[in-house]
Amino acid sequence: MCWSYSSRTADIYYNGVKAGSITTPLERRLDTGGSLVLGQYQNDREIFTKHGNRYTFGGELLKLNIFSKKFSDEEVRAMFQAGMCSDIEDTYESYRRLTWESIIEQPRRGNVELVDSVISCTSAGSGEETVSEMTGEEITTHN
């Protein structure tokens, strides 16, 4: 997802292709400070008080970064096509505000675990296929 505070638009992508856009209400404010909650639905009244399976994300997160730039369709497509084993996010280092490395160092609540992972990556270049492995850590949640 790419969201712009100034234009109030969020673009949703699936496999590097824009799947849709929404516009947030004009009166919506972005409050700073507080906590970033990943994988858990929250509202103002229930923040950190209501953790239930029906409110959780079940799956894996890997290489999540938060940037201060809204990426173009072409940039999102290039990131997807580069694959998980690439370091394309380093191209946008000056815009990176929250790194994957800083996320996995934070305390976790709920049914979340940090696991070592090995991801096999296949890339085709100049007619030749190469396989590489990326070793890292991922966050897994279970419902």
Side-chain angles (χ1 to χ4, degrees), residues 75-141:
E75 289 167 323
V76 171
R77 186 171 23 263
M79 285 181 194
F80 175 77
Q81 290 173 344
M84 286 193 295
C85 288
S86 80
D87 290 326
I88 194 168
E89 66 272 9
D90 293 343
T91 305
Y92 304 102
E93 186 62 36
S94 64
Y95 299 105
R96 199 159 27 171
R97 295 298 172 253
L98 186 62
T99 67
W100 176 247
E101 293 76 18
S102 65
I103 291 171
I104 62 175
E105 292 171 355
Q106 298 302 310
R108 289 168 287 286
R109 295 185 176 150
N111 193 9
V112 176
E113 63 182 306
L114 188 62
V115 296
D116 289 328
S117 63
V118 176
I119 298 166
S120 295
C121 300
T122 305
S123 60
S126 63
E128 210 173 293
E129 195 171 272
T130 59
V131 176
S132 61
E133 286 187 344
M134 179 183 79
T135 303
E137 295 176 300
E138 65 184 44
I139 295 174
T140 304
T141 61

Side-chain angles (χ1 to χ4, degrees):
M1 181 175 89
C2 293
W3 179 69
S4 167
Y5 184 76
S6 60
S7 69
R8 302 178 358 262
T9 57
D11 298 327
I12 310 298
Y13 294 86
Y14 180 75
N15 289 346
V17 178
K18 188 188 293 185
S21 295
I22 59 170
T23 302
T24 57
L26 184 59
E27 65 277 357
R28 175 153 298 164
R29 291 185 10 231
L30 178 63
D31 295 326
T32 57
S35 299
L36 174 64
V37 179
L38 299 174
Q40 176 74 46
Y41 167 77
Q42 297 291 326
N43 66 35
D44 290 340
R45 290 171 284 136
E46 298 171 341
I47 192 83
F48 292 123
T49 61
K50 196 167 191 174
H51 294 279
N53 285 345
R54 73 175 230 205
Y55 295 106
T56 61
F57 164 78
E60 300 174 349
L61 297 175
L62 179 66
K63 290 183 73 171
L64 174 70
N65 293 277
I66 296 180
F67 299 89
S68 63
K69 167 186 175 36
K70 183 178 182 212
F71 292 104
S72 68
D73 294 348
E74 294 77 24
E75 289 167 323
V76 171
R77 186 171 23 263
M79 285 181 194
F80 175 77
Q81 290 173 344
M84 286 193 295
C85 288
S86 80
D87 290 326
I88 194 168
E89 66 272 9
D90 293 343
T91 305
Y92 304 102
E93 186 62 36
S94 64
Y95 299 105
R96 199 159 27 171
R97 295 298 172 253
L98 186 62
T99 67
W100 176 247
E101 293 76 18
S102 65
I103 291 171
I104 62 175
E105 292 171 355
Q106 298 302 310
R108 289 168 287 286
R109 295 185 176 150
N111 193 9
V112 176
E113 63 182 306
L114 188 62
V115 296
D116 289 328
S117 63
V118 176
I119 298 166
S120 295
C121 300
T122 305
S123 60
S126 63
E128 210 173 293
E129 195 171 272
T130 59
V131 176
S132 61
E133 286 187 344
M134 179 183 79
T135 303
E137 295 176 300
E138 65 184 44
I139 295 174
T140 304
T141 61
H142 307 281
N143 287 346

